[in-house]
mmCIF file of all heavy atoms in Angstrom:
data_model
loop_
_atom_site.group_PDB
_atom_site.id
_atom_site.type_symbol
_atom_site.label_atom_id
_atom_site.label_comp_id
_atom_site.label_asym_id
_atom_site.label_seq_id
_atom_site.Cartn_x
_atom_site.Cartn_y
_atom_site.Cartn_z
ATOM 1 N N ALA A 74 27.965 13.345 -92.700
ATOM 2 C CA ALA A 74 28.336 11.952 -92.963
ATOM 3 C C ALA A 74 29.445 11.837 -94.011
ATOM 4 O O ALA A 74 30.372 11.026 -93.874
ATOM 5 C CB ALA A 74 27.107 11.201 -93.448
ATOM 6 N N GLU A 75 29.353 12.645 -95.060
ATOM 7 C CA GLU A 75 30.317 12.539 -96.162
ATOM 8 C C GLU A 75 31.726 12.855 -95.684
ATOM 9 O O GLU A 75 32.695 12.204 -96.072
ATOM 10 C CB GLU A 75 29.939 13.506 -97.289
ATOM 11 C CG GLU A 75 28.610 13.215 -97.968
ATOM 12 C CD GLU A 75 27.420 13.915 -97.324
ATOM 13 O OE1 GLU A 75 27.435 14.119 -96.083
ATOM 14 O OE2 GLU A 75 26.470 14.245 -98.049
ATOM 15 N N ARG A 76 31.828 13.892 -94.831
ATOM 16 C CA ARG A 76 33.168 14.247 -94.358
ATOM 17 C C ARG A 76 33.675 13.260 -93.311
ATOM 18 O O ARG A 76 34.864 12.971 -93.259
ATOM 19 C CB ARG A 76 33.185 15.692 -93.846
ATOM 20 C CG ARG A 76 33.351 16.680 -95.003
ATOM 21 C CD ARG A 76 33.290 18.105 -94.538
ATOM 22 N NE ARG A 76 31.923 18.494 -94.234
ATOM 23 C CZ ARG A 76 31.580 19.574 -93.551
ATOM 24 N NH1 ARG A 76 32.516 20.360 -93.061
ATOM 25 N NH2 ARG A 76 30.311 19.868 -93.349
ATOM 26 N N VAL A 77 32.764 12.733 -92.489
ATOM 27 C CA VAL A 77 33.185 11.682 -91.550
ATOM 28 C C VAL A 77 33.821 10.547 -92.356
ATOM 29 O O VAL A 77 34.896 10.034 -92.020
ATOM 30 C CB VAL A 77 31.987 11.167 -90.707
ATOM 31 C CG1 VAL A 77 32.370 9.912 -89.929
ATOM 32 C CG2 VAL A 77 31.503 12.258 -89.753
ATOM 33 N N ALA A 78 33.177 10.173 -93.463
ATOM 34 C CA ALA A 78 33.661 9.043 -94.270
ATOM 35 C C ALA A 78 34.973 9.370 -94.991
ATOM 36 O O ALA A 78 35.929 8.579 -94.936
ATOM 37 C CB ALA A 78 32.585 8.613 -95.273
ATOM 38 N N ILE A 79 35.040 10.506 -95.659
ATOM 39 C CA ILE A 79 36.273 10.759 -96.438
ATOM 40 C C ILE A 79 37.470 11.042 -95.533
ATOM 41 O O ILE A 79 38.585 10.644 -95.848
ATOM 42 C CB ILE A 79 36.134 11.872 -97.506
ATOM 43 C CG1 ILE A 79 35.677 13.174 -96.911
ATOM 44 C CG2 ILE A 79 35.294 11.434 -98.683
ATOM 45 C CD1 ILE A 79 35.836 14.338 -97.882
ATOM 46 N N PHE A 80 37.230 11.700 -94.390
ATOM 47 C CA PHE A 80 38.358 11.951 -93.485
ATOM 48 C C PHE A 80 38.838 10.628 -92.879
ATOM 49 O O PHE A 80 40.027 10.433 -92.646
ATOM 50 C CB PHE A 80 37.969 12.944 -92.385
ATOM 51 C CG PHE A 80 37.689 14.354 -92.896
ATOM 52 C CD1 PHE A 80 36.989 15.265 -92.121
ATOM 53 C CD2 PHE A 80 38.124 14.770 -94.154
ATOM 54 C CE1 PHE A 80 36.738 16.560 -92.575
ATOM 55 C CE2 PHE A 80 37.875 16.058 -94.618
ATOM 56 C CZ PHE A 80 37.172 16.956 -93.832
ATOM 57 N N GLN A 81 37.906 9.745 -92.626
ATOM 58 C CA GLN A 81 38.293 8.430 -92.112
ATOM 59 C C GLN A 81 39.112 7.672 -93.161
ATOM 60 O O GLN A 81 40.150 7.079 -92.855
ATOM 61 C CB GLN A 81 37.061 7.629 -91.705
ATOM 62 C CG GLN A 81 37.422 6.286 -91.140
ATOM 63 C CD GLN A 81 36.285 5.566 -90.449
ATOM 64 O OE1 GLN A 81 36.545 4.821 -89.519
ATOM 65 N NE2 GLN A 81 35.060 5.755 -90.892
ATOM 66 N N ALA A 82 38.659 7.714 -94.413
ATOM 67 C CA ALA A 82 39.398 7.034 -95.488
ATOM 68 C C ALA A 82 40.802 7.625 -95.616
ATOM 69 O O ALA A 82 41.793 6.895 -95.733
ATOM 70 C CB ALA A 82 38.639 7.167 -96.812
ATOM 71 N N GLY A 83 40.895 8.953 -95.572
ATOM 72 C CA GLY A 83 42.200 9.602 -95.684
ATOM 73 C C GLY A 83 43.109 9.260 -94.514
ATOM 74 O O GLY A 83 44.331 9.181 -94.660
ATOM 75 N N SER A 84 42.507 9.050 -93.344
ATOM 76 C CA SER A 84 43.293 8.735 -92.150
ATOM 77 C C SER A 84 43.809 7.304 -92.156
ATOM 78 O O SER A 84 44.941 7.047 -91.768
ATOM 79 C CB SER A 84 42.444 8.919 -90.887
ATOM 80 O OG SER A 84 41.987 10.231 -90.791
ATOM 81 N N ILE A 85 42.929 6.392 -92.569
ATOM 82 C CA ILE A 85 43.295 4.970 -92.458
ATOM 83 C C ILE A 85 44.030 4.481 -93.708
ATOM 84 O O ILE A 85 44.969 3.692 -93.614
ATOM 85 C CB ILE A 85 42.029 4.109 -92.219
ATOM 86 C CG1 ILE A 85 41.292 4.596 -90.977
ATOM 87 C CG2 ILE A 85 42.408 2.638 -92.049
ATOM 88 C CD1 ILE A 85 39.959 3.911 -90.743
ATOM 89 N N TYR A 86 43.602 4.936 -94.871
ATOM 90 C CA TYR A 86 44.188 4.463 -96.138
ATOM 91 C C TYR A 86 44.666 5.653 -96.961
ATOM 92 O O TYR A 86 44.095 5.965 -98.026
ATOM 93 C CB TYR A 86 43.152 3.668 -96.938
ATOM 94 C CG TYR A 86 42.524 2.531 -96.177
ATOM 95 C CD1 TYR A 86 41.182 2.595 -95.770
ATOM 96 C CD2 TYR A 86 43.255 1.391 -95.853
ATOM 97 C CE1 TYR A 86 40.591 1.556 -95.074
ATOM 98 C CE2 TYR A 86 42.669 0.340 -95.149
ATOM 99 C CZ TYR A 86 41.341 0.440 -94.765
ATOM 100 O OH TYR A 86 40.763 -0.600 -94.066
ATOM 101 N N PRO A 87 45.692 6.357 -96.510
ATOM 102 C CA PRO A 87 46.103 7.588 -97.202
ATOM 103 C C PRO A 87 46.560 7.368 -98.642
ATOM 104 O O PRO A 87 46.517 8.299 -99.448
ATOM 105 C CB PRO A 87 47.246 8.123 -96.319
ATOM 106 C CG PRO A 87 47.710 6.959 -95.520
ATOM 107 C CD PRO A 87 46.537 6.068 -95.339
ATOM 108 N N GLU A 88 46.993 6.158 -98.975
ATOM 109 C CA GLU A 88 47.477 5.895 -100.342
ATOM 110 C C GLU A 88 46.366 5.441 -101.283
ATOM 111 O O GLU A 88 46.570 5.377 -102.498
ATOM 112 C CB GLU A 88 48.570 4.809 -100.340
ATOM 113 C CG GLU A 88 49.744 5.053 -99.395
ATOM 114 C CD GLU A 88 50.436 6.387 -99.658
ATOM 115 O OE1 GLU A 88 50.419 6.843 -100.821
ATOM 116 O OE2 GLU A 88 50.957 6.979 -98.691
ATOM 117 N N ALA A 89 45.222 5.090 -100.733
ATOM 118 C CA ALA A 89 44.160 4.517 -101.577
ATOM 119 C C ALA A 89 43.390 5.609 -102.308
ATOM 120 O O ALA A 89 43.272 6.734 -101.823
ATOM 121 C CB ALA A 89 43.209 3.700 -100.711
#
Side-chain angles (χ1 to χ4, degrees):
E75 296 90 328
R76 277 177 285 165
V77 169
I79 56 167
F80 293 162
Q81 181 168 211
S84 301
I85 303 174
Y86 306 110
E88 307 304 331

